[in-house]
Structure formats: C-alpha cells, structure tokens
C-alpha cells in the first residue's frame, strides 16, 4: 500500500499524461477502488488543482487550470520564473534533454492560474532566442503549442511553410514531437492526404485545435518515421569523406540523420553527406573539427581547402613574425 502523498502524485502524473480519464481507468491504473479515486480527486482540488469532470457513467476527469500552483507553494513571480526557465531550457538544449524540460513546462502551464499564464504569453511575444548553431530559430511558444496539440488528441489546423517557402494550411491529427539533436519534428497524420507526415517545428507558424477529438489507428514509430524522412531528402550535391574513426565514433560525429555510414576497416568510416552546395558542405566538414579526407567531389574539396587557407591567413599563418 503506497502512501497518500505518493498516490496523489501518481494521480497527478496520470491526469497530465492524456486529455481525459474515467474513474474506472484511474482506479485500475492505481490499483485502488473507485471510491479512493473520487476521494483523492477531492483532495487534489483542495490543494488547488483545477480538475474538471463530466457526470454520468461515461464521464471522466481532466486536468484544467488551477487556482494556485501546487504542490510547491510558489508565488506568482516564482511560478513565472520557473516557467520561463523551463521554456528557455527547452529551446536552447542547455540541459542536454530538452524533451524533459518541454514535458515539465507543458505540465506546469496546464495548472498555471490565468493571470500567470497571460504574463507568460506576453513574454513569448517579446523574447528573442538566438538559434542554435546550424539550426533555424523556432518561433516562441510553438513547441508548447505542438506538445499541447499532441496531448489533447484533437484534430488541429497547422499553418506551415514548406521547404520551398510556400505557406500552407493543413488539417492534421497530432501524435508526437521528436528531437533529433539538431531539430524538432512534429509527427502527425495529414488529413487531406491520409498519410503520416513529419513537419519541422521551425517552419510552423501556428497550430490551432479544431475541437474534434480523433482516435489514431495504428500510429507509426515516430522516431523511425523522422529518421526515414530525413534520410529520404534528396540534395543537389553529396560529398563522400573518409573519417579516421571507427563506426561508433563516426556516428557520434555525423548522426545517421545527416549522413550514411560504411566501415572502412576497423579504424575508419566512409560517410556520405548531402547539402545544397559546396560551400555549405565545406563549412559543415570544417565544423566537425576532426581529421578527414574528401574523396569526392572536387568542388567540395576545393571549397574546404579555400576555407582552411583563408582561416590560416586570417590568423597569421605563413606570415613572417
């Protein structure tokens, strides 16, 4: 038998995991009676959790906005500070796992009183985040909007700009957010095309719920779908390089979402990487900061040599001291 405090925390975690639960479902998950669930719901409401319910045998419980921020007993300024810090951690990756920061932020925003949530929204409109190296900037608030869309399980309207820069509006059934280490991807079913698709989060302008609940049938492995989608992109130019590292080290330097790898003996790996032009590929290779040999094409090799010469000259290389 777990303690009441532990059981209440477990109940909050379950309520945060999906839009709605019936009393029977919660009781089965927690291995308690329906009466215990109803009693624990009443306790959480006394603590300030805004738990909403629908009457009748098919009704359910859902986590709404609270009247204060439990159970940490935070005042308004403290709650706002925690929310801002979590959002910054999710956008910057400073903690290494921005998925954990995003999940925590989503749960916190779910129980924030309206006065604090409104202030956080105002800050979303005024804060500017510099993009991560090698990646475009994600508009403020988009990650939490996409995460909330996945959690609600409702059809959403997505304002999106594709790789060619064309603005589109699509109805989608949200499923998951996937982070590859470089970018966030939104996995959803495109309603018009009846296909599972991946959308880059930095290309999403807005996402709005239609209020239409959907049940996803046989959803795909989201991480695998994103990996295949990235690998299937056709670039105008490819470079083949030999890295003086075994396969495991080469995969850490160049993720499988960026290049394709083939071992070249026990201590080297051949990697093929796609890009838009020779200068972009040369800049990427230089940024790896490791010994490598460009096998083909010549235009990338020349661009890499040109960049290294310019870098050497800018730092006094080859000049008399």
């Amino acid at each position: 038998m777990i303690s009441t405090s532990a059981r209440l925390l477990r109940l909050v975690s379950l309520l945060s995991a999906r839009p709605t639960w019936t009393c029977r479902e919660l009781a089965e998950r927690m291995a308690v009676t329906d009466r215990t669930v109803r009693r624990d719901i009443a306790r959480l409401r006394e603590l300030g959790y805004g738990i909403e319910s629908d009457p009748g045998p098919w009704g359910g419980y859902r986590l709404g906005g609270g009247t204060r921020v439990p159970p940490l007993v935070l005042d308004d300024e403290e709650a706002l500070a925690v929310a801002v810090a979590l959002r910054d951690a999710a956008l910057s990756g400073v903690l290494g796992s921005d998925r954990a920061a995003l999940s925590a932020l989503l749960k916190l925003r779910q129980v924030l009183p309206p006065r604090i949530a409104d202030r956080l929204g105002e800050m979303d409109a005024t804060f500017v985040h510099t993009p991560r190296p090698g990646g475009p900037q994600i508009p403020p608030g988009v990650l939490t909007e996409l995460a909330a869309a996945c959690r609600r399980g409702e059809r959403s309207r997505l304002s999106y700009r594709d790789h060619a820069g064309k603005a589109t509006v699509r109805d989608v059934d949200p499923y998951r957010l996937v982070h590859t280490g470089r970018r966030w991807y939104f996995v959803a079913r495109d309603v018009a095309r009846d296909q599972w698709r991946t959308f880059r989060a930095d290309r999403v302008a807005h996402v709005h719920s239609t209020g239409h609940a959907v049940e996803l049938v046989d959803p795909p492995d989201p991480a695998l779908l994103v990996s295949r989608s990235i690998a299937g992109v056709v670039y105008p130019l490819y470079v083949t390089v030999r890295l003086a590292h075994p396969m495991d080290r080469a995969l850490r330097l160049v993720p499988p979402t960026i290049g394709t790898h083939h071992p070249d003996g026990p201590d080297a790996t051949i990697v093929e990487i796609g890009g838009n032009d020779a200068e972009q590929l040369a800049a990427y290779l230089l940024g790896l900061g490791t010994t490598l040999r460009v096998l083909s094409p010549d235009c990338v090799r020349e661009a890499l040599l040109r960049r290294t010469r310019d870098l050497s000259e800018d730092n006094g290389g080859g000049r008399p001291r």
Side-chain angles (χ1 to χ4, degrees):
M1 178 70 69
I2 62 175
S3 68
T4 301
S5 297
R7 195 174 64 242
L8 292 179
L9 290 174
R10 169 65 173 158
L11 180 55
V12 171
S13 178
L14 288 173
L15 290 170
S16 301
R18 75 184 205 195
T20 185
W21 294 82
T22 66
C23 184
R24 171 48 44 189
E25 289 174 330
L26 290 171
E28 291 175 352
R29 283 294 190 94
M30 299 175 62
V32 296
T33 64
D34 291 7
R35 181 180 179 184
T36 299
V37 170
R38 288 191 290 269
R39 188 167 56 242
D40 286 347
I41 291 290
R43 289 195 179 102
L44 289 177
R45 285 170 172 162
E46 291 175 358
L47 290 172
Y49 285 91
I51 299 176
E52 302 168 357
S53 59
D54 295 318
W58 303 109
Y61 295 107
R62 59 183 175 273
L63 192 60
T67 57
R68 57 185 182 274
V69 184
L72 298 178
V73 194
L74 301 175
D75 62 26
D76 287 8
E77 295 301 322
E78 290 170 335
L80 184 62
V82 171
V84 170
L86 287 171
R87 182 192 54 190
D88 187 65
L91 287 171
S92 67
V94 66
L95 298 178
S97 175
D98 31 16
R99 282 174 292 184
L102 181 61
S103 175
L105 175 59
L106 185 62
K107 290 179 180 179
L108 179 61
R109 291 189 73 156
Q110 189 72 25
V111 296
L112 283 176
R115 62 182 180 277
I116 306 178
D118 290 345
R119 289 183 61 186
L120 187 61
E122 292 170 358
M123 298 177 81
D124 277 338
T126 57
F127 278 11
V128 175
H129 292 263
T130 57
R132 299 186 195 180
Q137 183 173 347
I138 299 176
V142 163
L143 280 181
T144 48
E145 288 180 10
L146 292 175
C150 293
R151 181 182 178 276
R152 283 193 301 264
E154 296 175 346
R155 183 160 295 168
S156 300
R157 188 148 294 149
L158 194 71
S159 299
Y160 188 73
R161 192 172 297 276
D162 64 20
H163 68 281
K166 179 182 177 182
T168 61
V169 176
R170 316 184 191 196
D171 283 351
V172 298
D173 295 337
Y175 182 43
R176 291 290 187 273
L177 273 173
V178 176
H179 187 235
T180 66
R182 296 179 67 248
R183 292 192 178 100
W184 282 95
Y185 289 86
F186 177 52
V187 176
R189 190 180 73 89
D190 189 312
V191 176
R193 300 181 182 181
D194 192 22
Q195 292 179 341
W196 286 99
R197 305 294 296 270
T198 62
F199 302 91
R200 272 177 44 177
D202 56 276
R203 292 176 179 166
V204 175
H206 301 286
V207 57
H208 302 288
S209 173
T210 64
H212 174 63
V214 293
E215 183 176 351
L216 302 178
V217 179
D218 194 24
D221 181 321
L224 183 60
L225 183 67
V226 169
S227 295
R228 288 176 175 173
S229 174
I230 295 172
V233 174
V234 178
Y235 290 98
L237 184 65
Y238 288 85
V239 62
T240 303
V241 299
R242 183 181 188 272
L243 300 180
H245 299 287
M247 178 74 83
D248 58 344
R249 170 63 176 161
L251 285 168
R252 288 195 293 269
L253 282 170
V254 182
T257 54
I258 302 298
T260 56
H261 304 65
H262 304 284
D264 186 26
D267 300 317
T269 306
I270 305 297
V271 184
E272 186 180 55
I273 305 168
N276 293 321
D277 52 52
E279 291 297 332
Q280 182 193 53
L281 287 169
Y284 179 79
L285 294 176
L286 191 62
L288 293 178
T290 189
T291 302
L292 58 86
R293 177 182 298 173
V294 177
L295 302 180
S296 67
D298 291 339
C299 61
V300 177
R301 183 186 301 109
E302 292 165 0
L304 182 62
L305 289 172
R306 189 164 52 251
R307 282 176 173 267
T308 54
R309 282 196 300 267
D310 292 344
L311 185 62
S312 177
E313 291 175 2
D314 288 344
N315 288 275
R319 297 178 182 174
R321 294 182 179 271

